[in-house]
Amino acid sequence: MTLGQFLSKQFIRVIQWNESEDGVLAYRYPMQDMEIENGGQLTVRETQMAAFINEGKFADVFGPGLHTLNTRNLPILTDIMNWSKDFESPFKSDVYFFSTRLQIDRKWGTATPVTIRDKEFGVVRVRAFGNYAYRVADPHVFFTQVSGTRQQYLASDLDNQLRTMIVERMAGVFATSDVTFLDMAANQSVLAAKIAEVMKPGFAGLGLELDQFVVESVSLPDDLQKVLDQRIGMGMIGDVGRLTQFEAAESLEEAAQNTGGTAGMGVGLGAGVAMAQAFIGQATTAASSTPAAVPAATGSKFCTECGKPVPAGAKFCPDCGKQQ
């Protein structure tokens, strides 16, 4: 660096950051060919925090407000004193901004079904997905453990790590839960609260705070879902008579609403057949449960019209009056 370049060098007096896009977690203020002036002003807005790195060390964290920076980079004197180093100051300072607003609607889910133990079904494989929201809570930890000296660190850079951690913790919660798979749909909020509780230490270890965690769905793989559907169907067979009557009644109602055309005739015919089958089944059941009729006395005959017994020697049926 020449003396002319040094004299034209810029010194930063005001440092501030406006987020240019969503999902930015950390941003390093550009410092190339610029040095922070002693007494420079740092403006930190709401939903932000800033970290001051002085001489390569994490010096301080600043919350929202206007702050004055005191550094060893005296604008002219420091560089003149280091003329032997091509007028470059050895006292380098950096400012990193961190977004502390919620990173919402971050998706999580099981890439493959997770095997768990279930009190009712034994061992089952389940799939689950949902979303969560978090924010940067500890810039020092986040800087040293995650973002480092990168120019910019995005939420998308962290998604895979967080998703893997969530699925791992979720499997542990399911394994120790007393809730069976059939009851999980009614207890998704309870499961979400348990998963969030075991997730918070993992997020804190990265300098993050887990704010919301939602379980949207817990389901079985397609092959196991078919087996469950068959089991549900078998459970319904115990009351198949009422089911048949209900379906027949619905068919009749539909046929009554669509009386015109061949389609209506077909529906009505199908409903009639279904109703007849239901009634025949009831009649068969009733006949099998009714005690057998006592045979007529020896020598008696039966009416040719109604089939009822007729006393021996009678010329007319006592029931229908038909001449014998």
Side-chain angles (χ1 to χ4, degrees), residues 61-83:
V61 175
F62 302 90
L66 180 63
H67 308 276
T68 300
L69 301 178
N70 295 312
T71 73
R72 295 176 63 184
N73 284 331
L74 302 177
I76 303 295
L77 181 61
T78 300
D79 286 334
I80 291 179
M81 291 175 63
N82 290 278
W83 60 272

Side-chain angles (χ1 to χ4, degrees), residues 15-16 42-50 62-67 97-98:
I15 301 174
Q16 59 181 343
L42 171 65
T43 300
V44 183
R45 293 176 170 82
E46 293 288 347
T47 73
Q48 294 179 355
M49 296 183 76
F62 302 90
L66 180 63
H67 308 276
F97 286 92
F98 300 88

Side-chain angles (χ1 to χ4, degrees), residues 63-111:
L66 180 63
H67 308 276
T68 300
L69 301 178
N70 295 312
T71 73
R72 295 176 63 184
N73 284 331
L74 302 177
I76 303 295
L77 181 61
T78 300
D79 286 334
I80 291 179
M81 291 175 63
N82 290 278
W83 60 272
S84 61
K85 299 179 177 63
D86 295 331
F87 298 104
E88 291 186 7
S89 170
F91 309 115
K92 300 299 182 182
S93 300
D94 295 292
V95 174
Y96 290 83
F97 286 92
F98 300 88
S99 174
T100 59
R101 65 187 179 92
L102 279 178
Q103 304 298 319
I104 61 174
D105 199 27
R106 310 309 299 183
K107 304 296 185 181
W108 68 270
T110 54

Side-chain angles (χ1 to χ4, degrees), residues 295-302 309-314:
T298 304
S300 297
K301 57 183 179 178
F302 298 91
V310 178

Side-chain angles (χ1 to χ4, degrees), residues 3-49:
L3 180 60
Q5 291 174 327
F6 163 73
L7 293 175
S8 63
K9 199 173 185 180
Q10 282 186 298
F11 293 94
I12 304 172
R13 295 184 178 181
V14 178
I15 301 174
Q16 59 181 343
W17 175 53
N18 292 320
E19 296 182 50
S20 59
E21 58 182 309
D22 290 334
V24 179
L25 299 179
Y27 173 79
R28 184 179 65 190
Y29 191 86
M31 294 291 184
Q32 185 175 0
D33 294 331
M34 295 187 293
E35 295 173 347
I36 301 174
E37 180 179 309
N38 188 45
Q41 301 298 303
L42 171 65
T43 300
V44 183
R45 293 176 170 82
E46 293 288 347
T47 73
Q48 294 179 355
M49 296 183 76

